[in-house]
Amino acid sequence: MAAQEFHFRHFLATIGTSNLAMGLHTVLYPWLVVGVLELSPSRLGLAQLAVLLPNLLFILPGGVISDRRHRGSWLSLLYLLYSLPIAILIGAALSGELTFSLLLMFGMVFGSISAFVQPARESLLGYASQDLMHQAVAKVVMVQFIAQGIGFVIAGQLETIGLTALLIVQMLMFALSSILIKRSHPQRVIETDIADPQVEKVEPKRETLQELRAGFALFLTDKALLHLLLIVTATGFLAFGVYLVGMPLLAREAYQGGAGLYAILQVTFTMGIVLANFVVSRQKHAFKRPGRLMIISFLGRGGLLAAVALMPNFWILFPVIFAWGAFSGMSMTLGRTILHNQVPHSHRSRAASVYQLCLFAGAPLGAWACGVAIEQVGLAQTFTAIAGLTLVVSVIATMSPLWALKATNN
């Protein structure tokens, strides 16, 4: 079988364009709920649940399907499919019929497509050099969040530019992503038939359930990887939940701001992620104890959430949000580096889907719980409670095999 062709620069360009579109989504979608429709925190939690819940249903089969298909062509199609829910939202905006029910439907369709995109896109990183995997992951995360930051800034101009124009930009970015991802991983003839030299040889059909079990078995047989999944699940429930719901409500309720302030908070958080990954990308050698650093970064986020709970003035708030982003960026890179270096390439889509499942299994529940808690006990109290739980999980994690994990390469 011929070696798979992979162009990392085109892949990075795809990460940039697709995440600029995702940056628009990250600001616009929750702000349509709390800023335009002016609905309650629990409704915002429900809206974020609608986006994240499809991951629980589709991300595992999405990983299996990705391992069976040519990833460049498959991702190209998926990026084009994002146009469908965006077109529905444009129609609603133009007709003045934007409702919470429509936003829920949009979120479910958008989230379903993302559930198939994530494992396929993540598995393409496996074609990067294993010795420099930490640098490749760091570069991807840097481009991802720089692009998202640009998307945040553009989305912050909602009142000036208008919803329809922003949605059209988002649609165009996904279309460009469809073109670029195909160039990053072009389809090649692997083995030809005499009658038709352009047709790839069909591989034997494989059992989906067997392949799913094989993906889970990778984690069940490696205790460090299993504990990686546990801390990723905690990240989804605690950190991701408060980020999705707490951040827009922080802008609206604690500081009486609009979409512009929310976008600035997002950009500040993103700058922290980018700086952390710039530092990682300059590292010539892999981290010797990546699991330990990941747990420490999780611990740091707990302390920073406690600081946010005090509702400090802007001079303190923005540096705290920046540091929160830096710890989050470090954790993202370390988790994905551990995954790629510990798992065989043939199983990476499935392993990535299990990894993402654990992240997004916690996130929808965390988002919903955060929204309900804010509505019942208040914003500051909810941030304080989540900070406390984060610190408890961090202390427990220091006794896990992940704490002692040493860097290894396949």
Side-chain angles (χ1 to χ4, degrees):
M1 182 180 291
Q4 293 283 356
E5 187 176 353
F6 179 60
H7 302 289
F8 188 63
R9 289 185 179 180
H10 283 109
F11 180 73
L12 282 180
T14 305
I15 294 297
T17 54
S18 63
N19 279 283
L20 192 154
M22 284 296 183
L24 289 168
H25 168 79
T26 301
V27 173
L28 291 178
Y29 182 68
W31 200 255
L32 288 175
V33 178
V34 300
V36 176
L37 298 181
E38 297 184 340
L39 299 176
S40 65
S42 61
R43 286 293 184 96
L44 175 58
L46 185 59
Q48 296 288 21
L49 179 66
V51 176
L52 298 169
L53 191 59
N55 285 278
L56 302 181
L57 302 176
F58 302 128
I59 201 163
L60 287 179
V64 172
I65 291 171
S66 297
D67 278 337
R68 292 178 177 178
R69 293 175 177 266
H70 178 264
R71 292 174 179 86
S73 301
W74 176 232
L75 281 165
S76 180
L77 173 63
L78 290 172
Y79 280 129
L80 288 178
L81 287 179
Y82 276 118
S83 299
L84 296 177
I86 296 172
I88 292 173
L89 211 55
I90 290 174
L94 291 174
S95 63
E97 297 179 356
L98 187 66
T99 64
F100 182 64
S101 297
L102 182 71
L103 286 176
L104 288 180
M105 183 183 71
F106 167 85
M108 293 183 70
V109 176
F110 195 94
S112 297
I113 297 169
S114 297
F116 287 92
V117 167
Q118 287 158 0
R121 186 180 60 202
E122 186 70 18
S123 67
L124 277 177
L125 263 178
Y127 293 114
S129 170
Q130 294 298 298
D131 292 336
L132 299 176
M133 180 61 70
H134 67 289
Q135 290 186 352
V137 173
K139 288 176 182 177
V140 166
V141 175
M142 281 177 60
V143 171
Q144 174 184 345
F145 284 96
I146 288 172
Q148 281 192 19
I150 295 171
F152 297 156
V153 172
I154 297 173
Q157 308 305 310
L158 174 62
E159 289 84 0
T160 304
I161 299 175
L163 178 60
T164 301
L166 292 176
L167 292 173
I168 291 173
V169 171
Q170 187 181 36
M171 189 181 291
L172 290 174
M173 288 298 101
F174 279 129
L176 183 56
S177 301
S178 176
I179 296 170
L180 289 169
I181 197 66
K182 210 165 188 178
R183 292 183 178 179
S184 76
H185 192 226
Q187 193 161 12
R188 300 173 61 181
V189 175
I190 297 175
E191 195 169 330
T192 58
D193 186 273
I194 296 175
D196 187 354
Q198 300 302 316
V199 178
E200 288 188 352
K201 183 178 179 180
V202 179
E203 295 184 0
K205 186 177 180 181
R206 291 167 284 183
E207 293 294 331
T208 300
L209 289 178
Q210 289 180 358
E211 295 188 353
L212 287 174
R213 283 196 293 268
F216 277 109
L218 291 169
F219 296 92
L220 294 176
T221 56
D222 188 323
K223 296 301 181 184
L225 282 179
L226 179 61
H227 283 83
L228 172 66
L229 292 187
L230 294 177
I231 197 167
V232 165
T233 303
T235 298
F237 183 79
L238 298 171
F240 206 5
V242 73
Y243 171 79
L244 290 171
V245 175
M247 189 82 85
L249 292 172
L250 186 72
R252 189 189 76 173
E253 296 187 1
Y255 295 95
Q256 291 76 50
L261 176 59
Y262 177 42
I264 292 171
L265 289 174
Q266 292 278 17
V267 170
T268 304
F269 184 88
T270 299
M271 288 172 63
I273 294 175
V274 171
L275 177 64
N277 282 276
F278 175 77
V279 173
V280 174
S281 70
R282 305 299 294 178
Q283 288 282 121
K284 294 183 179 179
H285 304 290
F287 292 109
K288 294 181 179 180
R289 299 281 186 175
R292 184 170 300 183
L293 284 175
M294 189 174 182
I295 293 169
I296 291 171
S297 70
F298 191 73
L299 176 67
R301 278 180 285 175
L304 292 165
L305 281 175
V308 174
L310 298 175
M311 307 299 166
N313 62 44
F314 285 131
W315 294 106
I316 298 174
L317 177 67
F318 285 110
V320 169
I321 296 293
F322 179 85
W324 181 12
F327 278 115
S328 298
M330 180 67 71
S331 181
M332 291 174 194
T333 301
L334 290 167
R336 291 163 71 182
T337 300
I338 292 169
L339 182 75
H340 284 294
N341 281 339
Q342 298 283 119
V343 174
H345 179 70
S346 60
H347 289 63
R348 280 213 177 101
S349 283
R350 274 163 281 179
S353 68
V354 174
Y355 183 92
Q356 295 288 339
L357 173 68
C358 290
L359 178 64
F360 290 108
L365 294 175
W368 173 78
C370 184
V372 171
I374 290 171
E375 195 167 305
Q376 295 297 320
V377 302
L379 193 64
Q381 292 85 348
T382 300
F383 269 76
T384 301
I386 293 173
L389 289 172
T390 301
L391 295 173
V392 170
V393 171
S394 300
V395 172
I396 296 172
T398 60
M399 296 178 280
S400 76
L402 187 62
W403 181 261
L405 179 69
K406 295 181 180 180
T408 58
N409 294 319
N410 286 334

